[in-house]
Amino acid sequence: MNFAYELPWYRKFINESDLVFCDGFGVLWGAKLCGYCIKSDNRMTCPDYIENLALACEQENISLFLLAGKPGTVDKAIAKLKAIAPNLKVKGHHGYFEKIGDENEAIINEINKFRPDILYVGFGMPLQERWILDNLTRINAKVFLPLGACLDYYTDAVYRGPRWMTDRGFEWLTRLVIEPQRLWQRYLIGNPLFFYRVFRALIASSWKNYSKMSKFWRT
């Protein structure tokens, strides 16, 4: 949400997506503060549903290409998914490649050769969304699904934290402890900044409504 506030192209990407789902607890709480009817069970995190996604793809004969993670992570993820969905049409490639130039072209050719129904892209935000926009018209896929570090969690390459924390909005704390150098700014600055913007929007909305009512009373 901070990216959407600061980057017009990113905000446009979200607003023009066919489906937007609630991933983080911050968005859930922010939506509730703004008066939207959203429940905790409306929150969807990919590590929790990726196996259900694989089973649904297998049942409906939908192919899946995984483009994410460090070398080896995709292979582990495919092995786990095939264990529960042996007939799943799935292929993958790691996400550590140059996003422009010859290497990028080779990856696009590999994807197009497979012709996936769903392309999972997990480079982290906002790089994955920028890459999708830059290559959208050149890739033969029906659905683009940016899902960040899901495969890292699914393959246990990165620890999410205990369930009691992830289900109560404290997954960020575990991630901060594990990767402080990379994530300190996102959480220690980004979390308060997000809620500051939410409260500022609420105050602005309340003042606007008050001004309208005052004008009505004077009339």
Side-chain angles (χ1 to χ4, degrees):
M1 295 303 294
N2 284 333
F3 282 137
Y5 186 92
E6 297 162 2
L7 303 174
W9 70 263
Y10 191 86
R11 182 165 61 252
K12 187 172 184 286
F13 179 94
I14 292 178
N15 288 338
E16 294 184 356
S17 295
D18 295 297
L19 175 66
V20 178
F21 57 88
C22 177
D23 184 0
F25 264 96
V27 175
L28 182 72
W29 292 334
K32 287 183 176 180
L33 287 170
C34 290
Y36 292 95
C37 183
I38 185 169
K39 301 176 182 178
S40 297
D41 54 6
N42 293 136
R43 176 174 172 262
M44 296 172 59
T45 58
C46 183
D48 293 332
Y49 71 74
I50 189 170
E51 291 190 346
N52 288 333
L53 174 65
L55 290 168
C57 287
E58 179 190 43
Q59 183 177 356
E60 300 296 332
N61 197 30
I62 293 173
S63 57
L64 177 64
F65 194 102
L66 306 176
L67 185 64
K70 296 180 180 179
T73 299
V74 164
D75 296 330
K76 292 179 182 178
I78 290 176
K80 287 189 69 174
L81 294 175
K82 293 283 281 186
I84 64 162
N87 296 318
L88 175 67
K89 295 179 181 178
V90 60
K91 194 174 181 181
H93 192 283
H94 65 79
Y96 281 62
F97 62 91
E98 292 295 327
K99 304 305 186 290
I100 57 174
D102 293 341
E103 193 172 6
N104 190 61
E105 293 299 317
I107 298 300
I108 291 175
N109 290 334
E110 183 178 347
I111 296 169
N112 287 341
K113 186 176 180 180
F114 184 65
R115 298 180 66 87
D117 295 303
I118 299 175
L119 174 61
Y120 167 110
V121 183
F123 305 152
M125 301 177 294
L127 178 59
Q128 59 194 13
E129 288 81 9
R130 185 70 262 174
W131 186 85
I132 289 173
L133 287 175
D134 291 342
N135 299 281
L136 184 65
T137 60
R138 304 170 56 227
I139 297 176
N140 294 326
K142 297 176 182 177
V143 175
F144 292 79
L145 197 60
L147 292 173
C150 169
L151 296 190
D152 291 330
Y153 299 131
Y154 181 58
T155 60
D156 296 322
V158 176
Y159 181 54
R160 286 185 73 190
R163 190 78 186 195
W164 66 267
M165 290 184 68
T166 60
D167 287 348
R168 289 169 174 80
F170 293 102
E171 182 176 331
W172 66 272
L173 184 58
T174 301
R175 297 185 67 183
L176 179 62
V177 171
I178 293 174
E179 299 181 274
Q181 188 172 1
R182 187 174 74 87
L183 297 175
W184 72 269
Q185 190 171 9
R186 177 190 294 186
Y187 295 125
L188 297 184
I189 297 177
N191 285 1
L193 181 60
F194 168 72
F195 283 107
Y196 162 74
R197 286 168 171 162
V198 169
F199 284 118
R200 190 175 67 176
L202 285 172
I203 292 170
S205 178
S206 298
W207 178 253
K208 184 177 180 180
N209 292 334
Y210 172 77
S211 298
K212 286 181 179 179
M213 291 300 296
S214 297
K215 184 177 180 181
F216 173 76
W217 291 333
R218 288 197 299 270
T219 302

